[in-house]
Amino acid sequence: MPKNLSFATRVVNDYSASRPDDQYRAVIPPIYLASTFEQPTDGSAGPYGYQRSSNPTRGSVESAVAYVEGAEHALAFATGMAATATVFSSLTTGDRVLLTSSVYGGTFLLVDEFFARRGITAEFVDDFNELTEIPEDTAMVFLESPTNPTLRVTDISHVASLAKKVNAKVVVDNTFSTAYLQKPLDLGADAVVYSGTKYFGGHSDVLAGFILTNDDAWYASLKIASKALGNPLSPFDSYSILRGLKTLVIRLDRQQENAAILRDYLEHHPAVSRVLAPGWYSAKEKEIHARQSKGDGALFAFELAEGIDFHAFAKNLKLMRFAVSLGSVETLICHPASMIHENLSPEEREKAGISDRLLRLSVGIEDVHDLKADLENALSAID
Ligand SMILES: *Cc1c(COP(=O)(O)O)cnc(C)c1O
Protein backbone atom coordinates (compact mmCIF):
# COMPACT_ATOMS: atom_id res chain seq x y z
CA MET A 1 0.00 0.00 0.00
CA PRO A 2 1.27 3.53 -0.75
CA LYS A 3 2.56 5.26 2.39
CA ASN A 4 1.39 8.65 3.67
CA LEU A 5 -2.07 8.51 2.16
CA SER A 6 -4.03 11.66 2.90
CA PHE A 7 -6.76 11.68 5.54
CA ALA A 8 -9.40 12.24 2.85
CA THR A 9 -8.29 9.00 1.16
CA ARG A 10 -8.03 6.98 4.35
CA VAL A 11 -11.61 7.71 5.46
CA VAL A 12 -12.92 6.23 2.20
CA ASN A 13 -11.19 2.87 2.48
CA ASP A 14 -9.37 1.06 5.24
CA TYR A 15 -6.29 0.05 3.25
CA SER A 16 -4.80 -1.51 6.37
CA ALA A 17 -7.49 -4.22 6.40
CA SER A 18 -7.10 -7.47 4.53
CA ARG A 19 -9.19 -7.66 1.36
CA PRO A 20 -12.58 -9.29 1.80
CA ASP A 21 -12.06 -12.98 1.30
CA ASP A 22 -15.66 -13.93 0.71
CA GLN A 23 -16.54 -15.67 -2.52
CA TYR A 24 -18.21 -12.55 -4.00
CA ARG A 25 -15.30 -10.11 -3.46
CA ALA A 26 -17.63 -7.42 -2.10
CA VAL A 27 -16.00 -3.96 -1.90
CA ILE A 28 -17.40 -3.30 1.55
CA PRO A 29 -17.32 -5.69 4.52
CA PRO A 30 -20.49 -7.74 5.00
CA ILE A 31 -22.60 -7.41 8.17
CA TYR A 32 -22.10 -10.57 10.23
CA LEU A 33 -25.10 -10.77 12.53
CA ALA A 34 -24.25 -14.15 14.09
CA SER A 35 -24.20 -14.05 17.87
CA THR A 36 -21.89 -17.07 17.88
CA PHE A 37 -19.47 -18.87 15.57
CA GLU A 38 -18.80 -22.61 15.33
CA GLN A 39 -15.56 -23.70 16.93
CA PRO A 40 -13.06 -26.39 15.93
CA THR A 41 -13.65 -29.56 17.93
CA ASP A 42 -9.95 -30.23 18.49
CA GLY A 43 -9.78 -27.83 21.45
CA SER A 44 -8.34 -24.90 19.53
CA ALA A 45 -10.22 -21.59 19.20
CA GLY A 46 -11.74 -20.28 15.98
CA PRO A 47 -11.09 -16.68 14.86
CA TYR A 48 -14.46 -15.55 16.29
CA GLY A 49 -16.50 -16.89 19.16
CA TYR A 50 -19.30 -15.09 20.94
CA GLN A 51 -20.38 -11.65 19.66
CA ARG A 52 -19.90 -9.78 22.95
CA SER A 53 -16.17 -10.66 22.78
CA SER A 54 -15.61 -10.14 19.08
CA ASN A 55 -17.38 -9.85 15.75
CA PRO A 56 -15.99 -9.42 12.21
CA THR A 57 -18.12 -6.34 11.37
CA ARG A 58 -17.21 -4.65 14.64
CA GLY A 59 -13.60 -5.64 13.89
CA SER A 60 -13.90 -3.86 10.53
CA VAL A 61 -15.09 -0.59 12.06
CA GLU A 62 -12.45 -0.76 14.81
CA SER A 63 -9.77 -1.27 12.20
CA ALA A 64 -11.13 1.58 10.05
CA VAL A 65 -11.35 4.05 12.93
CA ALA A 66 -7.84 3.16 14.17
CA TYR A 67 -6.49 3.55 10.63
CA VAL A 68 -8.06 6.99 10.25
CA GLU A 69 -6.79 8.15 13.65
CA GLY A 70 -3.32 6.66 13.13
CA ALA A 71 -3.73 4.67 16.38
CA GLU A 72 -2.55 1.16 17.20
CA HIS A 73 -5.81 0.06 18.78
CA ALA A 74 -9.51 0.90 18.69
CA LEU A 75 -12.50 -0.45 20.58
CA ALA A 76 -16.08 0.18 19.45
CA PHE A 77 -18.89 0.72 21.96
CA ALA A 78 -22.68 0.94 21.92
CA THR A 79 -22.56 4.69 22.72
CA GLY A 80 -20.06 7.44 23.40
CA MET A 81 -20.92 7.22 27.08
CA ALA A 82 -20.20 3.47 27.05
CA ALA A 83 -16.70 4.32 25.77
CA THR A 84 -16.22 7.02 28.44
CA ALA A 85 -17.58 4.78 31.22
CA THR A 86 -15.20 2.01 30.16
CA VAL A 87 -12.24 4.39 30.34
CA PHE A 88 -13.31 5.42 33.86
CA SER A 89 -13.80 1.77 34.85
CA SER A 90 -10.01 1.43 34.95
CA LEU A 91 -9.95 3.74 37.99
CA THR A 92 -10.16 2.33 41.51
CA THR A 93 -11.33 3.63 44.87
CA GLY A 94 -9.09 6.42 46.12
CA ASP A 95 -8.09 7.63 42.65
CA ARG A 96 -8.37 11.26 41.68
CA VAL A 97 -9.42 12.43 38.23
CA LEU A 98 -9.21 15.98 36.88
CA LEU A 99 -11.70 17.11 34.24
CA THR A 100 -12.38 20.25 32.25
CA SER A 101 -15.11 22.09 34.13
CA SER A 102 -17.51 22.30 31.22
CA VAL A 103 -17.12 18.64 30.31
CA TYR A 104 -19.96 16.91 28.37
CA GLY A 105 -23.11 16.61 30.53
CA GLY A 106 -23.19 12.80 30.41
CA THR A 107 -19.57 12.63 31.56
CA PHE A 108 -20.37 15.02 34.42
CA LEU A 109 -23.27 12.78 35.45
CA LEU A 110 -21.05 9.70 35.27
CA VAL A 111 -18.32 11.03 37.55
CA ASP A 112 -20.59 13.07 39.80
CA GLU A 113 -23.35 10.51 40.37
CA PHE A 114 -21.78 7.16 39.66
CA PHE A 115 -18.04 7.16 40.32
CA ALA A 116 -18.02 9.70 43.18
CA ARG A 117 -20.11 7.26 45.22
CA ARG A 118 -17.50 4.60 44.58
CA GLY A 119 -14.71 6.65 46.10
CA ILE A 120 -13.25 8.22 42.97
CA THR A 121 -12.66 11.94 43.44
CA ALA A 122 -13.48 14.15 40.48
CA GLU A 123 -12.12 17.69 40.39
CA PHE A 124 -13.16 20.19 37.77
CA VAL A 125 -10.53 22.55 36.44
CA ASP A 126 -11.64 25.90 34.97
CA ASP A 127 -8.44 26.58 33.07
CA PHE A 128 -5.84 23.85 32.55
CA ASN A 129 -3.68 26.30 30.60
CA GLU A 130 -2.91 28.15 33.84
CA LEU A 131 -1.80 25.03 35.74
CA THR A 132 1.90 24.56 36.41
CA GLU A 133 1.53 21.21 38.16
CA ILE A 134 -0.91 18.40 38.75
CA PRO A 135 -1.47 16.81 42.20
CA GLU A 136 0.69 13.72 42.65
CA ASP A 137 -2.16 11.35 43.43
CA THR A 138 -3.93 12.12 40.13
CA ALA A 139 -4.67 8.93 38.18
CA MET A 140 -6.30 10.47 35.13
CA VAL A 141 -6.93 13.76 33.37
CA PHE A 142 -10.00 13.83 31.16
CA LEU A 143 -10.46 16.80 28.89
CA GLU A 144 -12.29 18.26 25.93
CA SER A 145 -10.95 20.97 23.66
CA PRO A 146 -12.86 22.88 22.44
CA THR A 147 -15.52 22.52 25.13
CA ASN A 148 -19.27 22.40 24.97
CA PRO A 149 -21.03 24.82 24.60
CA THR A 150 -18.58 27.63 25.39
CA LEU A 151 -15.81 26.54 22.99
CA ARG A 152 -12.97 27.04 25.48
CA VAL A 153 -9.58 25.68 24.41
CA THR A 154 -7.12 23.57 26.44
CA ASP A 155 -3.47 23.09 25.52
CA ILE A 156 -3.33 19.29 25.19
CA SER A 157 0.51 19.01 25.02
CA HIS A 158 0.85 21.21 28.10
CA VAL A 159 -1.54 19.00 30.11
CA ALA A 160 0.14 15.84 28.78
CA SER A 161 3.57 17.03 29.92
CA LEU A 162 2.28 17.91 33.43
CA ALA A 163 0.47 14.55 33.66
CA LYS A 164 3.58 12.57 32.62
CA LYS A 165 5.44 13.93 35.67
CA VAL A 166 2.92 12.33 38.05
CA ASN A 167 2.20 9.26 35.90
CA ALA A 168 -1.41 10.24 35.26
CA LYS A 169 -3.12 9.07 32.10
CA VAL A 170 -4.50 11.74 29.76
CA VAL A 171 -7.74 11.07 27.90
CA VAL A 172 -9.21 13.49 25.37
CA ASP A 173 -12.83 13.44 24.24
CA ASN A 174 -12.22 14.50 20.64
CA THR A 175 -15.84 14.22 19.44
CA PHE A 176 -16.15 17.81 18.17
CA SER A 177 -12.93 17.84 16.13
CA THR A 178 -12.33 14.26 14.97
CA ALA A 179 -8.83 13.27 13.82
CA TYR A 180 -9.42 15.28 10.66
CA LEU A 181 -8.87 18.45 12.69
CA GLN A 182 -7.03 17.39 15.83
CA LYS A 183 -4.93 14.37 16.85
CA PRO A 184 -4.61 14.15 20.64
CA LEU A 185 -2.44 11.00 20.55
CA ASP A 186 0.20 12.95 18.61
CA LEU A 187 -0.03 15.70 21.25
CA GLY A 188 0.79 13.27 24.06
CA ALA A 189 -2.61 11.92 25.13
CA ASP A 190 -2.77 8.26 26.23
CA ALA A 191 -6.23 7.67 24.82
CA VAL A 192 -8.91 9.37 22.75
CA VAL A 193 -12.63 8.79 23.17
CA TYR A 194 -15.36 9.58 20.68
CA SER A 195 -19.06 9.73 20.51
CA GLY A 196 -19.33 8.14 17.06
CA THR A 197 -22.97 9.25 17.18
CA LYS A 198 -21.86 12.69 16.04
CA TYR A 199 -19.44 13.31 13.14
CA PHE A 200 -18.53 9.65 12.43
CA GLY A 201 -22.14 8.58 11.88
CA GLY A 202 -23.06 11.99 10.56
CA HIS A 203 -26.75 11.34 9.86
CA SER A 204 -28.49 11.37 13.29
CA ASP A 205 -29.38 7.70 12.91
CA VAL A 206 -26.94 5.68 15.02
CA LEU A 207 -25.32 5.77 18.46
CA ALA A 208 -21.72 4.61 18.85
CA GLY A 209 -18.55 5.24 20.83
CA PHE A 210 -14.82 4.56 20.45
CA ILE A 211 -11.65 4.40 22.50
CA LEU A 212 -8.32 4.73 20.68
CA THR A 213 -4.91 4.17 22.20
CA ASN A 214 -1.34 3.17 21.41
CA ASP A 215 -0.94 1.60 24.87
CA ASP A 216 -0.95 -2.21 24.36
CA ALA A 217 -1.51 -3.13 27.99
CA TRP A 218 -4.28 -0.59 28.57
CA TYR A 219 -5.99 -1.69 25.35
CA ALA A 220 -5.97 -5.31 26.52
CA SER A 221 -7.54 -4.43 29.85
CA LEU A 222 -10.13 -2.07 28.29
CA LYS A 223 -11.12 -4.87 25.90
CA ILE A 224 -11.72 -7.19 28.86
CA ALA A 225 -13.68 -4.40 30.60
CA SER A 226 -15.94 -4.00 27.55
CA LYS A 227 -16.58 -7.74 27.47
CA ALA A 228 -17.36 -7.75 31.21
CA LEU A 229 -19.54 -4.63 31.06
CA GLY A 230 -21.27 -5.96 27.93
CA ASN A 231 -21.27 -2.65 26.07
CA PRO A 232 -19.73 -3.20 22.60
CA LEU A 233 -21.17 -1.92 19.30
CA SER A 234 -23.66 -4.11 17.40
CA PRO A 235 -22.88 -5.36 13.86
CA PHE A 236 -25.60 -3.20 12.24
CA ASP A 237 -24.40 -0.08 14.03
CA SER A 238 -20.81 -0.96 13.13
CA TYR A 239 -21.90 -0.95 9.50
CA SER A 240 -23.62 2.46 9.88
CA ILE A 241 -20.40 3.96 11.23
CA LEU A 242 -18.33 2.34 8.45
CA ARG A 243 -20.66 3.98 5.97
CA GLY A 244 -20.71 7.36 7.71
CA LEU A 245 -16.95 7.54 8.02
CA LYS A 246 -16.48 7.54 4.24
CA THR A 247 -18.02 11.02 3.89
CA LEU A 248 -16.50 12.53 7.04
CA VAL A 249 -14.12 14.80 5.16
CA ILE A 250 -16.55 16.16 2.57
CA ARG A 251 -19.19 16.70 5.23
CA LEU A 252 -16.86 18.47 7.64
CA ASP A 253 -15.32 20.60 4.89
CA ARG A 254 -18.76 21.84 3.88
CA GLN A 255 -19.95 22.19 7.49
CA GLN A 256 -16.91 24.26 8.44
CA GLU A 257 -17.36 26.46 5.39
CA ASN A 258 -21.03 27.04 6.24
CA ALA A 259 -20.25 27.63 9.92
CA ALA A 260 -17.66 30.31 9.10
CA ILE A 261 -20.20 32.21 6.97
CA LEU A 262 -22.92 31.98 9.63
CA ARG A 263 -20.52 33.07 12.40
CA ASP A 264 -19.51 36.08 10.38
CA TYR A 265 -23.15 36.96 9.72
CA LEU A 266 -24.14 36.65 13.39
CA GLU A 267 -21.10 38.59 14.63
CA HIS A 268 -22.35 41.62 12.73
CA HIS A 269 -26.01 41.31 13.66
CA PRO A 270 -27.36 43.87 16.16
CA ALA A 271 -29.60 41.25 17.82
CA VAL A 272 -26.53 39.13 18.71
CA SER A 273 -24.27 40.20 21.55
CA ARG A 274 -21.42 37.76 20.93
CA VAL A 275 -20.33 34.66 19.03
CA LEU A 276 -18.36 31.91 20.79
CA ALA A 277 -16.01 29.90 18.57
CA PRO A 278 -12.60 28.34 19.38
CA GLY A 279 -10.25 31.14 20.43
CA TRP A 280 -12.97 33.72 21.25
CA TYR A 281 -12.02 33.74 24.92
CA SER A 282 -8.44 35.01 24.69
CA ALA A 283 -5.50 35.51 22.36
CA LYS A 284 -3.75 32.69 24.24
CA GLU A 285 -6.53 30.20 23.52
CA LYS A 286 -6.63 31.35 19.91
CA GLU A 287 -2.92 30.65 19.56
CA ILE A 288 -3.22 27.23 21.25
CA HIS A 289 -6.13 26.20 19.05
CA ALA A 290 -4.31 27.29 15.88
CA ARG A 291 -1.29 25.25 17.00
CA GLN A 292 -3.10 22.01 17.86
CA SER A 293 -6.07 21.98 15.49
CA LYS A 294 -6.52 22.30 11.74
CA GLY A 295 -9.86 24.09 11.95
CA ASP A 296 -12.61 25.68 13.99
CA GLY A 297 -15.12 22.88 13.38
CA ALA A 298 -18.78 23.38 12.68
CA LEU A 299 -20.07 23.85 16.19
CA PHE A 300 -20.36 27.29 17.75
CA ALA A 301 -22.53 29.25 20.15
CA PHE A 302 -23.97 32.74 20.11
CA GLU A 303 -25.69 34.93 22.61
CA LEU A 304 -28.77 36.93 21.75
CA ALA A 305 -28.69 40.59 22.76
CA GLU A 306 -30.10 41.60 26.14
CA GLY A 307 -33.89 41.52 26.25
CA ILE A 308 -34.33 39.12 23.33
CA ASP A 309 -36.24 35.99 24.21
CA PHE A 310 -34.80 32.83 22.67
CA HIS A 311 -38.27 31.20 22.53
CA ALA A 312 -39.50 33.88 20.15
CA PHE A 313 -36.38 33.49 18.03
CA ALA A 314 -36.39 29.66 17.95
CA LYS A 315 -40.09 29.53 17.09
CA ASN A 316 -39.42 31.50 13.92
CA LEU A 317 -36.74 29.17 12.55
CA LYS A 318 -38.11 27.10 9.68
CA LEU A 319 -35.10 25.04 8.54
CA MET A 320 -32.92 24.59 11.61
CA ARG A 321 -34.19 21.84 13.88
CA PHE A 322 -34.48 22.67 17.56
CA ALA A 323 -32.80 19.59 19.06
CA VAL A 324 -29.78 18.45 21.05
CA SER A 325 -26.96 16.44 19.47
CA LEU A 326 -24.56 17.60 16.78
CA GLY A 327 -22.35 16.59 13.91
CA SER A 328 -25.07 15.58 11.51
CA VAL A 329 -25.80 16.65 7.92
CA GLU A 330 -28.79 18.73 9.06
CA THR A 331 -28.36 21.93 11.06
CA LEU A 332 -29.40 21.62 14.70
CA ILE A 333 -29.83 24.46 17.15
CA CYS A 334 -30.25 24.07 20.88
CA HIS A 335 -30.60 26.06 24.07
CA PRO A 336 -27.88 24.71 26.40
CA ALA A 337 -29.30 26.29 29.60
CA SER A 338 -32.55 24.29 29.34
CA MET A 339 -31.59 21.36 27.11
CA ILE A 340 -28.04 20.32 28.04
CA HIS A 341 -27.05 21.97 31.31
CA GLU A 342 -30.43 21.95 33.02
CA ASN A 343 -28.90 19.94 35.90
CA LEU A 344 -26.64 22.85 36.85
CA SER A 345 -27.95 25.52 39.21
CA PRO A 346 -28.41 29.02 37.72
CA GLU A 347 -25.24 30.09 39.62
CA GLU A 348 -23.23 27.17 38.20
CA ARG A 349 -24.48 28.01 34.70
CA GLU A 350 -23.57 31.67 35.19
CA LYS A 351 -20.06 30.63 36.29
CA ALA A 352 -19.73 28.33 33.27
CA GLY A 353 -20.76 31.19 30.95
CA ILE A 354 -24.04 29.55 29.89
CA SER A 355 -26.61 32.34 29.97
CA ASP A 356 -30.30 31.97 29.11
CA ARG A 357 -29.63 33.85 25.88
CA LEU A 358 -26.95 31.41 24.68
CA LEU A 359 -27.75 29.15 21.73
CA ARG A 360 -25.58 26.41 20.24
CA LEU A 361 -25.51 25.74 16.54
CA SER A 362 -24.32 22.51 14.92
CA VAL A 363 -24.05 23.50 11.29
CA GLY A 364 -25.02 21.04 8.57
CA ILE A 365 -24.32 20.67 4.86
CA GLU A 366 -27.35 22.59 3.52
CA ASP A 367 -26.94 25.52 1.13
CA VAL A 368 -25.60 28.25 3.40
CA HIS A 369 -27.78 30.91 1.73
CA ASP A 370 -30.87 29.08 2.95
CA LEU A 371 -29.44 28.75 6.45
CA LYS A 372 -28.53 32.43 6.55
CA ALA A 373 -32.00 33.40 5.33
CA ASP A 374 -33.51 31.21 8.06
CA LEU A 375 -31.53 33.10 10.73
CA GLU A 376 -32.29 36.43 9.08
CA ASN A 377 -36.05 35.77 9.08
CA ALA A 378 -36.08 34.56 12.65
CA LEU A 379 -34.00 37.51 13.90
CA SER A 380 -35.97 40.14 12.03
CA ALA A 381 -39.30 38.70 13.23
CA ILE A 382 -38.36 39.43 16.86
CA ASP A 383 -37.00 42.94 16.30
C1 LIG B 1 -22.64 13.13 22.53
C2 LIG B 1 -21.37 13.24 23.25
C3 LIG B 1 -20.95 12.23 24.13
C4 LIG B 1 -21.80 11.02 24.45
O1 LIG B 1 -22.06 10.25 23.33
P1 LIG B 1 -23.34 9.29 23.18
O2 LIG B 1 -23.09 8.60 21.90
O3 LIG B 1 -24.55 10.17 23.20
O4 LIG B 1 -23.34 8.38 24.37
C5 LIG B 1 -19.72 12.36 24.76
N1 LIG B 1 -18.94 13.44 24.54
C6 LIG B 1 -19.31 14.44 23.71
C7 LIG B 1 -18.39 15.59 23.51
C8 LIG B 1 -20.54 14.37 23.03
O5 LIG B 1 -20.90 15.37 22.23
Side-chain angles (χ1 to χ4, degrees):
M1 240 353 104
K3 289 260 183 282
N4 304 321
L5 289 173
S6 125
F7 191 90
T9 304
R10 284 183 287 131
V11 291
V12 176
N13 262 308
D14 178 0
Y15 293 105
S16 73
S18 50
R19 287 293 179 90
D21 58 358
D22 68 288
Q23 56 183 317
Y24 305 117
R25 298 189 56 75
V27 298
I28 61 152
I31 307 175
Y32 287 96
L33 293 173
S35 60
T36 191
F37 291 78
E38 280 191 287
Q39 300 300 306
T41 51
D42 62 4
S44 64
Y48 293 96
Y50 187 57
Q51 193 189 111
R52 179 154 42 75
S53 307
S54 62
N55 171 272
T57 314
R58 188 162 73 242
S60 294
V61 77
E62 287 172 340
S63 164
V65 168
Y67 178 62
V68 161
E69 188 86 23
E72 290 293 323
H73 307 290
L75 287 166
F77 296 86
T79 65
M81 282 315 302
T84 301
T86 304
V87 159
F88 280 108
S89 78
S90 41
L91 298 174
T92 50
T93 306
D95 279 346
R96 178 206 301 269
V97 55
L98 304 184
L99 303 99
T100 28
S101 53
S102 50
V103 75
Y104 177 73
T107 306
F108 179 80
L109 193 68
L110 181 76
V111 295
D112 195 53
E113 284 285 317
F114 190 82
F115 283 107
R117 275 200 248 136
R118 284 152 183 85
I120 290 157
T121 313
E123 272 173 31
F124 297 92
V125 177
D126 285 338
D127 197 341
F128 273 107
N129 302 330
E130 299 300 323
L131 289 190
T132 53
E133 58 180 17
I134 280 174
E136 238 173 71
D137 58 345
T138 305
M140 187 185 288
V141 181
F142 189 96
L143 56 93
E144 285 172 43
S145 181
T147 58
N148 173 32
T150 51
L151 288 303
R152 293 287 306 275
V153 172
T154 292
D155 187 337
I156 299 170
S157 329
H158 173 66
V159 174
S161 70
L162 297 181
K164 287 243 149 55
K165 289 184 195 149
V166 297
N167 263 327
K169 280 187 160 52
V170 175
V171 181
V172 178
D173 180 339
N174 201 40
T175 299
F176 294 167
S177 301
T178 78
Y180 182 38
L181 302 180
Q182 179 170 280
K183 292 197 156 158
L185 294 176
D186 293 351
L187 299 166
D190 298 287
V192 176
V193 303
Y194 283 107
S195 169
T197 312
K198 313 296 167 52
Y199 287 102
F200 287 7
H203 294 75
S204 300
D205 59 2
V206 59
L207 271 74
F210 293 89
I211 300 175
L212 293 120
T213 183
N214 293 327
D215 182 333
D216 299 340
W218 201 18
Y219 164 72
S221 76
L222 290 167
K223 193 173 162 70
I224 292 168
S226 171
K227 179 178 169 179
L229 294 165
N231 60 10
L233 193 62
S234 79
F236 260 123
D237 294 345
S238 298
Y239 161 74
S240 293
I241 296 294
L242 278 167
R243 180 171 171 141
L245 207 55
K246 291 176 190 288
T247 54
L248 176 69
V249 168
I250 57 163
R251 280 186 282 113
L252 209 44
D253 278 346
R254 170 67 164 252
Q255 286 165 316
Q256 286 201 107
E257 223 177 273
N258 284 356
I261 293 168
L262 297 182
R263 280 200 306 267
D264 184 59
Y265 167 70
L266 289 167
E267 261 162 17
H268 295 99
H269 200 289
V272 174
S273 62
R274 59 177 180 173
V275 171
L276 286 64
W280 73 274
Y281 184 77
S282 65
K284 182 174 178 179
E285 288 194 8
K286 198 178 178 74
E287 180 275 316
I288 294 166
H289 189 72
R291 178 156 41 82
Q292 70 187 11
S293 177
K294 285 205 187 107
D296 288 341
L299 190 86
F300 70 91
F302 63 99
E303 206 164 55
L304 294 168
E306 202 95 42
I308 296 182
D309 176 30
F310 89 89
H311 291 286
F313 165 72
K315 190 176 70 162
N316 291 323
L317 290 167
K318 300 286 179 271
L319 300 182
M320 299 183 178
R321 309 295 173 113
F322 195 57
V324 294
S325 199
L326 59 115
S328 186
V329 288
E330 70 279 332
T331 298
L332 299 177
I333 188 163
C334 77
H335 181 242
S338 67
M339 296 163 87
I340 310 177
H341 296 280
E342 73 277 14
N343 294 329
L344 300 185
S345 68
E347 296 75 38
E348 285 173 316
R349 280 203 292 273
E350 177 73 40
K351 187 168 169 272
I354 304 161
S355 81
D356 278 351
R357 290 175 286 116
L358 191 75
L359 292 159
R360 188 190 77 185
L361 207 54
S362 167
V363 181
I365 64 168
E366 302 92 334
D367 187 320
V368 74
H369 298 102
D370 291 332
L371 294 175
K372 207 167 123 185
D374 201 29
L375 288 172
E376 224 155 57
N377 291 339
L379 288 169
S380 60
I382 51 169
D383 276 349

